[in-house]
Structure formats: structure tokens, C-alpha cells
């Protein structure tokens, strides 16, 4: 992704099993805080191409069933392919750049347990990572309204997680404002490496809709948990989560493993703060005013016409889209093919009319069409040394004849570029050749 998008800075692959995506988000936040990065992409990818993992966990009774019942009497189901992610930026930078802020990561923490009795030792370890994350965010347990739990639905994992939540969030909070507990695994299954960021996305949507969604199949809480030990309630039905003047906050957790024998348990905790009204508002526009220029392209003239028609339909279906925003996206996020058109207009209606002209292949005011000339468009890197004293030096490449000699080259030889009658191009030479100060090297060196 870093290569494709042209990103610089740290590009790290994280594999801590089911906590991978939240650990990646934690590292991204640390990179932003230290100034190592200015913008980060963090996410998780899970591809279950074979049933091997299902068989392994079924034999260990980690996933003995297939009904998604987090904190219920039955286990949850694993997922097939999931690729969720999130863009992360310092809050001050996001406000300055005019980016919409969906939520604020107030704090995070990671720890692990490495013991033969790892599962039994997880209970105090989970409490420690919760308290560490609360301290990093500068929050008290009662400041958190809801927790998106890992919630694997197993007989072993759910009680350990729930008891750690009861011992931390469930204490010293008013009875009328309990901690609401849920897990997205009951809705979409266990997304494994992508599980944590899926919970992040869920809680951001819950803030936007002002509603904590129901955790399915949790009508009967797990009998292996003492739910009376603290003020923690399962989301067995949707609960309103209105903005009442105080910041809404949610915790998101995920657990994983790093050792082959599953004796190293990684835990991660993130806290999300509600974005303020000013953060949610649209910031300063990069493109303002009229007219707007919409760029459309296609591999053929027919494809160009269809693309223009589809763009017109898209604009009609989304009347609230600003022409300048559409122009920016078309210019910076779409590929440029051989057949091209530029449609210029002052408003959406005028642009739609001119897109219809492109779709019908008819001339119109404010419409410019054209196509790249056919022929050889191979790339050449030229290093002229002293400057531009070689008149026509690039044009001479087009007159080079192909070499007919087959086989692997063995002898290195140079010939002057301007000796057009003697130098022939080997058919094995790559598309990109290097020229330096008047000399040419054939990278295959066939001896011709």
C-alpha cells in the first residue's frame, strides 16, 4: 500500500493474531505523537483461504460452534475475508487541513502475558492494560460510556474479559449510568486480524447515529460471569446514546497471540472520544468558486461516452455533492486513459448537460475532447550531463532498428547514441534504457 499510494515513513506489518489491527493503530498513534509521521493508515486484513485454522481451533475447542453469541452461552463464528481500516492524523493537523474528524483516539495501551498458565494469568493482565490506557487518556473508569469488547464467545475467553471489565469500569459508577458492553462479532463474525478496527468503525458509527447497537444472541448472559459484581450491562437491545453536553467515550479492546503455541497473549485497548461539532464541520475547501472542470477518460471512444453518462447519473443521484469536490476527486483519484474529455461548467446542471454532450459524441460549449496519438510511447530516462546540447537526441531513439541476434548476451559493448546507422536495439533490452553523457549501455550486452 505504501508503494502504491506513494507513502513515506514507517511501513510495518503487524501480526499479533486477533489484536493485529488495534496494535497497528496503537503504533500509528505513537508515530503521530512523536512527529515521525504526519498521516497514517492503520487497518487489518484477514483471508481464510483454507479450512486449516478452523480445524485447528475446533480441535482445541476454541470455536466449537458457529452461532455468533458474544457473552452468551454459545461461541462465535470466524470470518472469511475482512479488510477494514482507518486514517489517523493529529487533531491539530486535521483541523488545519480541513479534514472531517470522526472521532479522537484519546489513549491506548498494549501489553502481553507470557506464561504456561497464560489463560489464567490474563485476568490481572487485562486489568493492567485497561488502567494503563485510562491513564494515557487521562480518564477515570466512570468517564467511559461503553466498551466494544473482544467477545470471542468462548467459555474460557468471555468470562476472563467480562470479569476484568467488572473489576475496573464496573466499580464506583452510578447505577443509572452503567457501562454498556457489546461486540460486533455477533453481527459480522470474528474478523480475526481485523477484529479491533472493526470495533473502532462500529463505535464511530454509534456516535454518529447516537445509538449503541444491540449485541445479538445476548438475551441470556453467560452463566460463567458474575454480572452482579459491578455496573456492567450487556447490550441485549439498542440503547440511545445522545449527545447530552458531555463527551461520549468508548473503549475498544482486542486480544491476540504471538507465539506458535498460543502462550503469548497480546492485549490492546483504545479509547475513542466524540469529535466536537467544529471537528465534524467541513473545513476550508481546497477548490472554491466557479467554474469547475471535470475530467473523464476511457480506453476507447465508446468507453469515454459511457463514463460521461455514468458520471452524470452519479451527480444526479447525489445532488448535494459540490462540483469543486467532484473535480478534485476526478483529477487526483482516477486513472487517465487514452480517450479524454474535459467538461467545464459553473454549476451541477450545466456540467450535467455537457456530460450528456460527451456521452452523445456531440460538440458543445465548455467541452474539450481528444485522444493520445497512437504509436510507441516507451519511457526513456536521459541524463544529458552538460545540458541540452544534443539536438534531437530523443527523436533518434525512434529510428533504431531491432537486433535479430537471439540468445543471452555475453560481451559488453558501447556505441555512440548519435551513430544511428551502426547501433541497433536488442529485442531483449528492457523498455527503460539509461543514457549518460552521450554513451548508451545495453543491459543485455549481446555484443552487437
Amino acid at each position: 500500500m505504501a508503494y502504491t499510494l506513494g507513502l513515506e515513513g514507517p511501513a510495518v506489518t503487524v501480526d499479533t493474531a486477533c489484536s493485529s489491527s488495534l496494535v497497528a493503530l496503537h503504533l500509528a498513534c505513537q508515530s503521530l505523537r512523536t512527529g515521525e509521521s504526519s498521516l497514517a493508515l492503520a487497518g487489518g486484513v484477514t483471508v481464510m483461504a483454507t479450512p486449516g485454522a478452523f480445524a485447528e481451533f475446533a480441535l482445541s475447542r476454541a470455536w466449537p460452534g458457529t452461532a455468533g453469541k458474544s457473552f452468551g452461552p454459545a461461541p462465535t463464528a470466524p470470518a472469511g475475508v475482512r479488510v477494514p481500516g482507518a486514517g489517523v492524523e493529529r487533531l491539530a493537523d486535521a483541523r488545519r487541513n480541513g479534514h472531517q474528524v470522526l472521532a479522537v483516539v484519546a489513549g491506548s495501551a498494549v501489553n502481553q502475558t507470557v506464561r504456561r498458565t497464560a489463560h489464567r494469568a490474563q485476568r490481572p493482565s487485562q486489568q493492567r492494560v485497561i488502567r494503563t490506557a485510562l491513564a494515557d487518556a487521562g480518564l477515570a473508569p466512570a468517564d467511559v460510556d461503553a466498551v466494544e469488547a473482544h467477545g470471542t464467545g468462548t467459555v474460557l475467553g468471555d468470562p476472563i474479559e467480562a470479569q476484568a471489565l467488572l473489576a475496573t469500569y464496573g466499580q464506583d459508577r452510578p447505577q443509572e449510568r452503567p457501562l454498556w458492553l457489546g461486540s460486533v462479532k455477533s453481527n459480522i463474525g470474528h474478523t480475526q486480524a481485523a477484529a479491533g478496527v472493526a470495533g473502532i468503525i462500529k463505535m464511530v458509527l454509534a456516535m454518529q447515529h447516537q445509538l449503541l447497537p444491540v449485541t445479538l444472541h445476548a438475551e441470556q448472559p453467560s452463566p460463567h460471569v458474575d454480572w452482579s459484581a459491578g455496573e456492567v450491562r450487556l447490550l441485549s437491545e439498542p440503547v440511545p446514546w445522545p449527545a447530552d453536553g458531555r463527551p461520549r467515550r468508548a473503549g475498544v479492546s482486542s486480544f491476540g497471540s504471538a507465539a506458535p503455541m498460543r502462550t503469548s497473549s497480546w492485549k490492546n485497548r483504545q479509547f475513542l472520544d466524540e469529535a466536537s461539532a467544529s471537528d465534524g464541520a467541513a473545513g476550508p475547501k481546497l477548490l472554491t468558486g466557479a467554474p469547475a472542470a471535470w475530467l473523464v477518460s476511457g480506453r476507447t471512444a465508446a468507453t469515454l461516452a459511457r463514463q460521461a453518462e455514468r458520471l452524470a447519473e452519479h451527480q444526479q443521484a447525489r445532488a448535494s455533492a459540490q462540483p469543486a469536490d467532484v473535480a478534485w476527486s476526478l483529477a487526483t483519484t482516477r486513472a487517465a486513459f487514452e480517450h479524454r474529455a474535459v467538461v467545464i461548467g459553473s454549476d451541477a446542471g450545466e456540467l450535467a448537460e455537457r456530460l450528456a454532450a460527451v456521452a452523445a459524441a456531440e460538440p458543445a460549449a465548455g467541452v474539450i475532447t481528444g485522444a493520445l496519438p497512437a504509436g510507441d510511447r516507451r519511457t526513456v530516462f536521459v541524463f544529458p550531463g552538460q545540458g541540452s546540447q544534443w539536438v534531437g537526441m530523443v527523436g533518434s531513439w525512434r529510428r533504431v532498428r531491432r537486433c535479430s541476434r537471439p540468445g543471452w548476451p555475453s560481451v559488453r559493448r558501447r556505441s555512440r547514441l548519435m551513430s544511428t546507422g551502426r547501433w541497433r536495439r536488442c529485442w531483449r533490452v528492457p523498455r527503460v534504457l539509461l543514457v549518460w553523457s552521450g554513451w548508451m549501455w545495453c543491459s543485455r550486452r549481446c555484443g552487437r
Side-chain angles (χ1 to χ4, degrees):
M1 285 186 66
Y3 177 81
T4 301
L5 300 176
L7 304 180
E8 299 177 355
V12 182
T13 300
V14 178
D15 185 4
T16 57
C18 304
S19 62
S20 298
S21 59
L22 277 197
V23 173
L25 181 58
H26 170 78
L27 295 177
C29 292
Q30 296 296 327
S31 180
L32 291 169
R33 288 176 175 177
T34 60
E36 182 182 42
S37 304
S38 59
L39 182 67
L41 292 176
V45 179
T46 295
V47 179
M48 297 294 293
T50 68
F54 292 92
E56 175 188 351
F57 280 92
L59 290 174
S60 64
R61 297 184 179 181
W63 285 330
T66 57
K69 297 185 178 181
S70 301
F71 300 104
T76 188
V81 179
R82 305 289 177 183
V83 192
V88 193
E89 191 175 20
R90 285 187 291 267
L91 181 60
D93 292 344
R95 288 169 173 167
R96 183 176 61 253
N97 297 330
H99 295 162
Q100 183 181 11
V101 180
L102 302 178
V104 179
V105 180
S108 62
V110 177
N111 74 356
Q112 64 169 334
T113 302
V114 185
R115 288 183 57 183
R116 285 295 177 185
T117 57
H119 293 304
R120 292 182 178 275
Q122 280 187 18
R123 194 172 305 166
S125 180
Q126 288 191 27
Q127 295 182 28
R128 283 196 296 271
V129 75
I130 292 172
R131 293 191 171 98
T132 302
L134 285 169
D136 184 57
L139 300 175
D143 295 330
V144 181
D145 303 321
V147 164
E148 171 63 18
H150 189 60
T152 58
T154 59
V155 176
L156 178 64
D158 277 1
I160 294 176
E161 182 176 11
Q163 289 164 11
L165 297 173
L166 287 163
T168 51
Y169 298 107
Q171 308 303 312
D172 301 325
R173 62 187 305 137
Q175 186 176 5
E176 66 274 6
R177 198 168 60 82
L179 177 81
W180 293 105
L181 178 63
S183 175
V184 74
K185 292 179 178 61
S186 71
N187 305 97
I188 62 176
H190 190 348
T191 54
Q192 298 174 63
V197 74
I200 293 282
I201 295 171
K202 171 189 170 181
M203 298 316 296
V204 170
L205 291 173
M207 289 180 180
Q208 292 178 349
H209 293 275
Q210 302 189 32
L211 183 72
L212 292 169
V214 61
T215 293
L216 303 178
H217 315 299
E219 296 85 359
Q220 298 179 359
S222 172
H224 304 285
V225 178
D226 182 10
W227 297 101
S228 64
E231 295 300 328
V232 176
R233 300 290 181 268
L234 284 177
L235 286 164
S236 55
E237 59 183 7
V239 173
W241 198 17
D244 56 1
R246 58 178 294 273
R248 292 172 295 173
R249 298 186 176 98
V252 182
S253 64
S254 64
F255 308 138
S257 58
M261 299 305 294
R262 309 295 183 192
T263 58
S264 174
S265 177
W266 287 71
K267 292 163 285 297
N268 184 277
R269 177 74 54 170
Q270 306 275 346
F271 288 107
L272 294 181
D273 267 7
E274 175 186 10
S276 65
S278 60
D279 295 329
K285 298 291 184 180
L286 294 176
L287 294 177
T288 59
W294 287 3
L295 312 181
V296 191
S297 68
R299 294 191 183 276
T300 64
T303 304
L304 175 63
R306 287 196 297 270
Q307 287 293 96
E309 185 177 357
R310 290 180 57 191
L311 180 57
E313 294 174 354
H314 174 86
Q315 178 63 23
Q316 292 175 2
R318 296 166 176 81
S320 60
Q322 296 297 318
D325 294 337
V326 178
W328 174 266
S329 298
L330 291 172
T332 60
T333 65
R334 303 301 298 270
F337 296 111
E338 292 83 353
H339 293 262
R340 303 175 182 179
V342 180
V343 178
I344 302 173
S346 57
D347 54 40
E350 192 173 49
L351 289 163
E353 292 177 1
R354 293 172 180 178
L355 284 173
V358 175
E362 298 175 351
V367 175
I368 304 171
T369 59
L372 293 179
D376 192 359
R377 295 192 302 275
R378 289 173 292 183
T379 303
V380 177
F381 292 142
V382 178
F383 302 91
Q386 296 301 318
S388 57
Q389 66 271 32
W390 301 345
V391 179
M393 60 183 179
V394 176
S396 63
W397 285 74
R398 302 180 61 85
R399 297 191 294 272
V400 172
R401 296 192 296 270
R402 292 197 175 194
C403 176
S404 59
R405 181 171 181 174
W408 281 96
S410 59
V411 180
R412 177 176 182 177
R413 181 178 177 179
R414 306 181 222 180
S415 69
R416 284 192 176 276
L417 174 65
M418 298 307 292
S419 301
T420 58
R422 298 182 57 186
W423 183 80
R424 297 182 177 90
R425 180 179 177 185
C426 176
W427 68 281
R428 290 181 179 273
V429 176
R431 302 183 83 180
V432 177
L433 304 178
L434 300 180
V435 181
W436 179 261
S437 297
W439 293 89
M440 195 284 300
W441 286 260
C442 171
S443 63
R444 299 298 185 184
R445 298 186 290 276
C446 67
R448 284 293 188 94

